[in-house]
């Protein structure tokens, strides 16, 4: 089990905090929901008495407390100084979900938590801030500011993942890069970002579930695994190629739709940086994939000391098969 049964109550309040935030009619209610979400996620990080978990929980608490303080204090200015208040509220939400230029804490926290918490922090914990940012798209200036933030996140997420060997940090910078696509979608549509968010969540769920089963956290330990099947390197490769948005995998579908929308609105400048960052992220995904292609023969495995990967788990197969929908279904003809 990913979490002890007694911790399910914290997961319940975590979801409740998100629902309170996105459905509240006032900024005070939004703040209460975000605080409930924060205080429910801290125990999920500190599952064991470990210095790494405690450090990650403390860093996350301090950053989120700073963002919550900025949110509640800037909401006081909403009546008298509406635009400045919305400007500061947007900054607080960007800080809480780790978007550029407030990304400095996100890879550090990701490095000190386990794979189930990595999935929660990269997906569910960003749902409320992204929804609230979509509520703030009431003026052209805020929309342009979100677009600038998206371009910054794309560049930082692409360049930050270069020359890294720790898988959790690679996933962290990849999450920052995917966040840029969601922010661009928010500035243009109220609902399309949710479609992109759902696709990204399913792809990341398959990758984090596999790494959690393998208990691997670095590129070297992943390569040293006992590859007793030729399907193992192919499965890892296809998952990362889908996460990078390479056609014809499932991860390409939302990116292709978003590129079409941006082309129709003549947003060529953000498209250039988003596509350039996508190519850069594909490069550090290939750094993970190429060793598996080179040692595709099971007899070339480096070590037999690590646990082997088996396909006996139906949940792993079901989660991973989502990445192959683009290969199995003629979805592209429906999008034209």
């Amino acid at each position: 089990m990913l979490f002890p049964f007694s911790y399910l109550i914290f997961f319940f309040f975590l979801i409740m905090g998100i629902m309170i935030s996105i459905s509240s009619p006032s900024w005070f209610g939004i703040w209460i929901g975000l605080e409930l979400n924060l205080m429910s996620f801290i125990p999920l990080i500190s599952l064991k008495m470990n210095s790494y978990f405690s450090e990650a929980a403390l860093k996350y608490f301090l950053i989120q407390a700073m963002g919550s303080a900025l949110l509640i204090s800037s909401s006081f200015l909403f009546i008298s100084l509406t635009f400045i208040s919305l400007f500061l509220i947007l900054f607080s939400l960007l800080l809480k979900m780790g978007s550029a230029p407030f990304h400095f804490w996100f890879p550090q926290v990701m490095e000190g938590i386990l794979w189930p918490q990595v999935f929660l922090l990269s997906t569910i914990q960003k749902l409320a801030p992204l929804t609230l940012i979509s509520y703030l798209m009431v003026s052209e200036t805020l929309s342009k500011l979100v677009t600038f933030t998206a371009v910054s996140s794309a560049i930082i997420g692409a360049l930050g993942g270069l020359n890294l060997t720790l898988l959790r940090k690679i996933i962290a910078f990849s999450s920052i890069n995917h966040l840029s696509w969601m922010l661009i979608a928010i500035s243009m549509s109220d609902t399309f970002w949710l479609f992109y968010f759902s696709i990204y969540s399913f792809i990341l769920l398959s990758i984090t579930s596999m790494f959690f089963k393998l208990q691997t956290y670095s590129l070297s330990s992943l390569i040293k695994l006992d590859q007793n099947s030729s399907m193992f390197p192919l499965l890892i490769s296809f998952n990362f190629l889908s996460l990078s948005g390479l056609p014809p995998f499932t991860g390409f579908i939302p990116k292709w739709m978003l590129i079409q929308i941006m082309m129709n609105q003549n947003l060529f400048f953000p498209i250039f940086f988003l596509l350039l960052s996508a190519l850069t992220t594909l490069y550090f995904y290939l750094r993970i994939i190429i060793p598996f292609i080179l040692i595709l023969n099971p007899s070339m495995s480096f070590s037999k000391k690590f646990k082997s990967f088996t396909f006996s788990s139906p949940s792993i197969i079901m989660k991973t098969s989502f990445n192959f929908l683009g290969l199995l279904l003629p979805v592209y003809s429906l999008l034209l």
Side-chain angles (χ1 to χ4, degrees), residues 1 12 32 70 101-102 128 162 170-171 182-183 202 211 218 249 256 273 303 318 320:
M1 194 171 186
F12 171 76
I32 291 177
L70 180 60
F102 310 106
L162 297 175
I170 291 176
I171 295 297
M182 293 182 232
L183 290 174
F202 278 111
F211 286 160
S218 65
F249 296 98
W256 187 23
F273 285 100
S303 176
M318 182 180 64
T320 306

Side-chain angles (χ1 to χ4, degrees), residues 21-233:
S21 296
I22 64 179
S23 60
S24 177
S26 65
W27 288 112
F28 182 73
I30 290 172
W31 175 74
I32 291 177
L34 291 175
E35 289 300 300
L36 179 61
N37 176 266
L38 165 63
M39 300 311 295
S40 302
F41 189 63
I42 295 295
L44 296 180
I45 297 179
S46 306
L47 284 176
K48 300 177 182 178
M49 296 299 294
N50 188 294
S51 59
Y52 292 105
F53 297 158
S54 301
E55 180 183 358
L58 182 59
K59 289 179 180 178
Y60 183 78
F61 173 77
L62 292 177
I63 293 297
Q64 296 298 313
M66 185 187 305
S68 298
L70 180 60
L71 174 67
I72 194 63
S73 60
S74 57
S75 63
F76 295 153
L77 306 174
F78 188 77
I79 297 178
S80 57
L81 301 171
T82 304
F83 181 75
I84 296 177
S85 174
L86 293 177
F87 187 80
L88 295 176
I89 289 173
L90 177 62
F91 273 17
S92 67
L93 295 175
L94 293 175
L95 175 64
K96 290 182 76 67
M97 66 179 177
S99 175
F102 310 106
H103 66 283
F104 51 90
W105 63 271
F106 193 72
Q108 303 297 326
V109 173
M110 290 273 278
E111 182 59 26
I113 57 181
L114 298 175
W115 285 115
Q117 290 86 339
V118 166
F119 171 75
L120 292 178
L121 185 57
S122 300
T123 55
I124 295 179
Q125 289 301 96
K126 293 182 179 181
L127 183 58
L130 285 171
T131 307
L132 297 175
I133 288 177
S134 68
Y135 295 163
L136 294 176
M137 295 295 99
V138 294
S139 68
E140 182 104 11
T141 306
L142 290 174
S143 180
K144 290 182 178 179
L145 182 59
V146 170
T147 302
F148 173 76
T149 304
V151 172
S152 303
S153 299
I155 296 173
I156 291 174
L159 297 180
L162 297 175
N163 298 325
L164 290 178
T165 59
L166 301 176
L167 294 176
R168 284 174 294 187
K169 279 194 174 182
I170 291 176
I171 295 297
F173 283 105
S174 171
S175 178
I176 295 173
N177 180 264
H178 280 280
L179 186 60
S180 65
W181 292 83
M182 293 182 232
L183 290 174
I184 284 287
I186 285 176
S187 64
M188 295 184 299
S189 173
D190 291 334
T191 56
F192 183 75
W193 71 267
L194 193 57
F195 173 71
Y196 191 104
F197 177 84
S198 302
I199 297 292
Y200 170 71
S201 299
F202 278 111
I203 296 174
L204 189 64
L205 177 62
S206 65
I207 294 177
T208 53
S209 300
M210 189 177 305
F211 286 160
F212 179 71
K213 182 177 179 63
L214 297 171
Q215 287 298 301
T216 180
Y217 296 97
S218 65
L219 183 57
S220 60
S221 63
L222 187 63
I223 296 174
K224 292 177 182 178
L225 288 170
D226 181 12
Q227 301 169 28
N228 57 355
S229 173
S230 60
M231 286 297 294
F232 170 74

Side-chain angles (χ1 to χ4, degrees), residues 222-225 227 229-230 232-233 289-302:
L222 187 63
I223 296 174
K224 292 177 182 178
L225 288 170
Q227 301 169 28
S229 173
S230 60
F232 170 74
I289 295 171
I290 287 176
F292 289 107
I293 299 177
L294 294 177
I295 56 175
L296 190 61
N297 189 353
S299 63
M300 297 181 65
S301 180
F302 293 123

